[in-house]
Amino acid sequence: MTGEEWQIVWFTAWVSALSTLLILPLGLAAAWWLARFEWPGKSLVETIITLPLVMPPVATGLILLKLFGRRGAMGGFLHDAFDLDVVFTWRGVLLSLGVMSFPLLVRSARVSFEQVNQRLEQIARTLGASNSRVFLTVTLPLAARGIIGGMILAFARALGEFGATIMVAGNIPGRTSTLSLSIFQSVQLGQDAHAFRLLAISVAMAFAAVWGSECLMRRAKR
């Protein structure tokens, strides 16, 4: 592999990992509320969270482009207040990966929270533990395998993201090129050897991530 190819692999790996870590707090909060509480409009919230899984990725990317472009509500605010641009930067890649992988993390974490025996939480409360302590010392450890599995699955989804990323970040060599974008560009340019090298790495990374997630989920069920 060339230095350029290693740079593409490294960039894809670290931005996918960072996006997974950034969506974790909000993902856990959403999964907790969906798993444990009922409120008017819950179905609407569940639908909105799941939408990126069923919408065309380019459609999700177009929405993000309008929101975070310099003329968009969020993008204009970030540019004026902090002089930060999102579109066509590595931040755009980060945003796209996070949005597209968020539903998978929430679904996995929600199932894990639902499988926690609430009697154990009640016992901890009767012994004087606060709600936050119960969550940190009882609920979270019992749901940890499923949550970690969801994180790995979200990471794998981020590795292969294409449609939303190319809309929000483009394919700028050395700045926003990910594995999937580089594979597409190589095929378009007739650089088959380059494309197949990146393809092999992409398949290996995705296989390892999904396999690890499946192993954790099986152990969680046991």
Side-chain angles (χ1 to χ4, degrees):
M1 288 180 60
T2 65
E4 179 187 359
E5 291 170 344
W6 279 115
Q7 189 275 331
I8 292 170
V9 173
W10 170 246
F11 174 74
T12 304
W14 79 258
V15 78
S16 298
L18 181 57
S19 70
T20 303
L21 291 176
L22 289 178
I23 65 174
L24 182 60
L26 182 59
L28 291 181
W32 171 258
W33 281 97
L34 291 174
R36 294 299 177 87
F37 301 98
E38 295 290 337
W39 71 89
K42 179 180 178 180
S43 297
L44 178 62
V45 173
E46 292 173 327
T47 302
I48 293 174
I49 291 175
T50 308
L51 272 181
L53 287 179
V54 296
M55 287 177 58
V58 291
T60 303
L62 181 59
I63 294 173
L64 295 176
L65 182 63
K66 292 299 181 181
L67 286 175
F68 288 90
R70 283 193 179 182
R71 297 183 179 180
M74 295 298 298
F77 169 77
L78 291 174
H79 179 74
D80 295 338
F82 304 103
D83 195 28
L84 289 178
D85 289 324
V86 175
V87 174
F88 301 122
T89 68
W90 66 269
R91 300 180 192 89
V93 179
L94 191 67
L95 174 66
S96 302
L97 302 189
V99 169
M100 295 303 297
S101 58
F102 184 75
L104 293 176
L105 175 62
V106 172
R107 290 170 69 90
S108 180
R110 178 184 178 180
V111 171
S112 298
F113 285 137
E114 289 175 342
Q115 291 177 345
V116 172
N117 189 342
Q118 295 188 39
R119 289 185 60 188
L120 299 177
E121 297 173 334
Q122 294 172 356
I123 292 173
R125 291 190 184 96
T126 59
L127 295 175
S130 63
N131 288 333
S132 59
R133 186 174 181 182
V134 170
F135 179 79
L136 292 175
T137 61
V138 179
T139 309
L140 203 57
L142 291 175
R145 290 184 187 273
I147 293 172
I148 295 173
M151 292 176 62
I152 297 175
L153 200 58
F155 173 75
R157 177 66 183 86
L159 286 176
E161 166 51 31
F162 176 81
T165 306
I166 201 169
M167 290 291 292
V168 178
N171 186 21
I172 305 173
R175 292 182 57 189
T176 64
S177 294
T178 62
L179 276 170
S180 56
L181 297 178
S182 298
I183 291 171
F184 177 77
Q185 183 181 40
S186 297
V187 172
Q188 293 292 98
L189 297 176
Q191 300 172 348
D192 292 346
H194 178 66
F196 279 110
R197 283 196 299 270
L198 295 179
L199 173 63
I201 295 174
S202 179
V203 170
M205 293 173 68
F207 178 86
V210 174
W211 182 76
S213 176
E214 289 296 325
C215 290
L216 286 172
M217 294 299 288
R218 287 183 181 180
R219 291 183 180 181
K221 290 180 180 180
R222 293 176 184 175

